[in-house]
Amino acid sequence: MKTLKRKILSLFLALSLALSLSAPALAATPEEAQDDVELLYNLGLFLGSGTNADGTPNFALDRAPTRAEAVTILVRLLGGEDAALAGSWTTPFTDVPAWAQPYVGYAYTKGYTNGVGATIFGASSDVTTAQFLTFLLRALGYRDGVDFSWTDPWALTDQLKVTHGEYNADTETFLRADAVIVSASALYAPVKGSDTTLLQTLLDSGAITGNTVVIWDYTQVLFDENFASFLFYPVESSPANFTSFHFDRVTVNGLSCDTLQVNTPDEVNAYMASLGYDQGGFGYIEITYDQAAALEAATEYYTDEAGNTYPLLAFSFTCTGITPDGSKVTENFTDYYYLDE
């Protein structure tokens, strides 16, 4: 059994693991980006472009960002906003609005971005897919002309699992929704020349701080016919934690299943040690299900590079976490697997 896609999670505002199974050259939708934008917003890495009538941020996910906005998104993702606003930057560009000058100056000085002419940045022009991915790869330490080509940066972002084949030369529109999805995926991308991810770099530098955000991940512990188990745990340096973690409902392709759960960190540590594992976490769950019935009930499929098609097993979780201050956080997410044997 193989997992098709894994993404970082924040259980204070959980990031859905919902999977897009097709890879058309189309822009992402605001709905597809909603979980990612809430994650980035709560980590302080993405802001809205205004405020809605109810006081919530307006993320404007349905429109294309300008090049000035795209660079601003990048600088915030890198935790560089304070440095950008505090610095004095010099660029040759004459078309950058005052609000964007610190961000463009910071990114230009760092080598993340260039202009479209000797004195023109193209600040008001919509950013293209190739431009945004090039900005991002440069920020991760990769060099265009050496590690990738700016004409098809998606070749490297696909390799790094930042993108998943959804972008190519035929992609006509790159929306703020796309920028959000790519940015969230980039948190797990390695900085060039190391095994350190962008996320870990942000945690180590203090760019992600506070005691209300839990950044967490999970591992599939065991898989067998009709059986699966998962361990849920905080990533290293996560600034907050849970006192308990409970799965309220678990289904596989919509079918109910039986579960055994261990719900507090102390109990998880002891139980995992009894299984011979030295890693603990928030919660541990063993799932017993009817694999044949689940495969029969599959509604989504995956086709690999060789043309083989597999029905997907969608493990859907509804879970509740309790933070140290007693706050209750409930969220849903789905993870997809396929059997290749």
Side-chain angles (χ1 to χ4, degrees), residues 201-313:
T201 299
L202 293 170
L203 289 167
D204 291 344
S205 68
I208 297 177
T209 59
N211 57 12
T212 59
V213 176
V214 179
I215 303 168
W216 62 288
D217 203 348
Y218 72 96
T219 296
Q220 58 190 53
V221 179
L222 295 171
F223 265 109
D224 202 348
E225 186 174 0
N226 303 321
F227 178 86
S229 64
F230 297 85
L231 173 67
F232 293 78
Y233 54 90
V235 301
E236 185 178 357
S237 302
S238 180
N241 212 319
F242 285 104
T243 56
S244 66
F245 182 75
H246 183 267
F247 294 95
D248 306 304
R249 184 169 185 264
V250 181
T251 62
V252 183
N253 283 352
L255 305 178
S256 298
C257 50
D258 296 324
T259 65
L260 179 151
Q261 299 187 40
V262 185
N263 302 124
T264 69
D266 288 344
E267 292 171 343
V268 171
N269 291 343
Y271 191 84
M272 296 308 295
S274 73
L275 297 179
Y277 289 84
D278 59 2
Q279 180 179 0
F282 293 146
Y284 172 77
I285 185 169
E286 295 179 352
I287 303 168
T288 303
Y289 68 103
D290 187 332
Q291 180 176 290
L295 290 171
E296 183 68 24
T299 59
E300 297 178 277
Y301 299 83
Y302 170 66
T303 300
D304 64 18
E305 295 179 353
N308 302 307
T309 298
Y310 307 95
L312 287 172
L313 293 172

Side-chain angles (χ1 to χ4, degrees), residues 74 111-112 130-144 147-150 152-158 160 162 186 189-192:
L74 177 73
Y112 304 154
Q131 288 170 351
F132 190 86
L133 296 182
T134 293
F135 296 163
L136 182 59
L137 288 172
R138 287 172 179 162
L140 291 172
Y142 299 93
R143 296 174 56 193
D144 44 319
D147 303 302
F148 69 97
S149 169
W150 65 266
D152 65 342
W154 38 79
L156 181 54
T157 56
D158 283 351
L160 296 174
V162 172
V191 175
K192 183 184 176 182

